Amino acid sequence: MSDAPLLELRDVSKTYAAPDGSPPVSVLRGANLAVARGESIAITGPSGSGKTTILNLMGTLDRPDAGQLLLGGRDLSRLSERELAEVRATSIGFVFQSHHLLPHCTVRENVLVPLLARTSRPGAAAEARAIVLLERVGLGDRLDHLPGRLSGGERQRVALVRALANQPSLVLADEPTGSLDRASAAGIATLLRELNREEGVTLVVVTHAPELARQMQRVLAVEDGRLVPA
Ligand SMILES: Nc1ncnc2c1ncn2[C@@H]1O[C@H](COP(=O)(O)OP(=O)(O)O)[C@@H](O)[C@H]1O
Ligand SMILES: [Mg+2]
C-alpha cells in the first residue's frame, strides 16, 4: 500500500468560462501525473500555460471539469467542501509567490496560524516544532518581529515554515522565489530541498527559475494542457 502514489492526476481537464462572452479557455486537457511519497517535483511552463491551475486543483482549492485527483488514495471529487477543508488543514501546506503573511502578527504567530485551523489552541509540541523550524531556517532571533521588518527572503522563509507547521504530507509552492533576488532565491531553493529530504514531505513546486527546478528530483512542463517531462 505504501507504494501507492501520494497524489495522482488522471486525465484531468479544466476549462474556464471567459467573463466577456468570448470562447471558454481550455487550460488542461487530460493531464496525468503520479507523485510518490517523499518525491520532489518541479512544474515549469510559460506564463498562462496552466501551472497555477494545476496547483489549485492539487490543493483542493478548485475542482476539475473532468478526470480525477487522488490524494492518499482518496478521490477528491467524492469529498464534500467540509471534508476538503479538513484535507487542506491537515495534509497540505501552501507557499505562494507573495508570502501572504499577516502584517500585524509576529513571525511566531504567523507560523502558528495553520495550527489554529485544526484546534482552537495549538499544542505545546506543535508550537515547539514550529519554533525549531524557524531556528532551522535562521530566524530564531526574529520570532517577535513583524513581517514588515523582515527582508523578502526572510519573509518567504517564514511562509515556508508556516506551510510545514502542520506536518503536511504535501507542500505546494507557486513560484516561491518569483519575487526574490538571486541570493535569497538560491537560499529558498536549497531550503526547500533540505526540508523535503529531512522532513520527508512531498513537494510540488511551480517555478520559472532553472536553479530551483534543478533542485527537484523530477522536472515537468505543462504543454498543450498536459504534463510532460521537461
Ligand atoms: N479563474 C479564472 N477564470 C478565467 N480564466 C482563468 C482563471 N484562472 C486562470 N485563467 C486562465 O487560464 C490560463 C492558465 O492560467 P494559470 O493556471 O494561472 O497559468 P500559469 O500559472 O501557468 O501562468 C490563463 O490563460 C488564465 O488567464
Ligand atoms: Mg501562475
Side-chain angles (χ1 to χ4, degrees), residues 16-19 25 27 45-54 62 174-175 206 208 222:
Y16 293 112
V25 188
V27 178
S47 179
S49 58
K51 304 180 299 296
T52 294
T53 299
I54 288 178
D62 200 359
D174 198 351
E175 306 199 25
V206 161
H208 285 297
V222 190

Side-chain angles (χ1 to χ4, degrees), residues 29-46:
R29 292 186 287 274
N32 287 286
L33 176 66
V35 185
R37 277 178 202 279
E39 199 178 9
S40 60
I41 289 191
I43 297 179
T44 61

Side-chain angles (χ1 to χ4, degrees), residues 206-222:
V206 161
T207 185
H208 285 297
E211 302 84 2
L212 176 53
R214 260 203 309 275
Q215 302 258 17
M216 303 296 128
Q217 290 165 340
R218 199 147 55 109
V219 184
L220 303 170
V222 190

Side-chain angles (χ1 to χ4, degrees), residues 26-102:
S26 166
V27 178
L28 300 180
R29 292 186 287 274
N32 287 286
L33 176 66
V35 185
R37 277 178 202 279
E39 199 178 9
S40 60
I41 289 191
I43 297 179
T44 61
S47 179
S49 58
K51 304 180 299 296
T52 294
T53 299
I54 288 178
L55 274 200
N56 287 344
L57 293 170
M58 290 176 169
T60 81
L61 297 170
D62 200 359
R63 292 177 186 265
D65 301 321
Q68 283 178 306
L69 284 103
L70 292 95
L71 183 64
R74 291 167 92 193
D75 182 346
L76 296 177
S77 70
R78 294 177 185 275
L79 304 187
S80 65
E81 288 303 324
R82 196 194 159 96
E83 288 168 321
L84 291 177
E86 175 73 12
V87 167
R88 282 193 294 274
T90 57
S91 306
I92 304 178
F94 294 92
V95 185
F96 302 95
Q97 174 169 356
S98 171
H99 51 81
H100 293 308
L101 298 177
L102 300 170

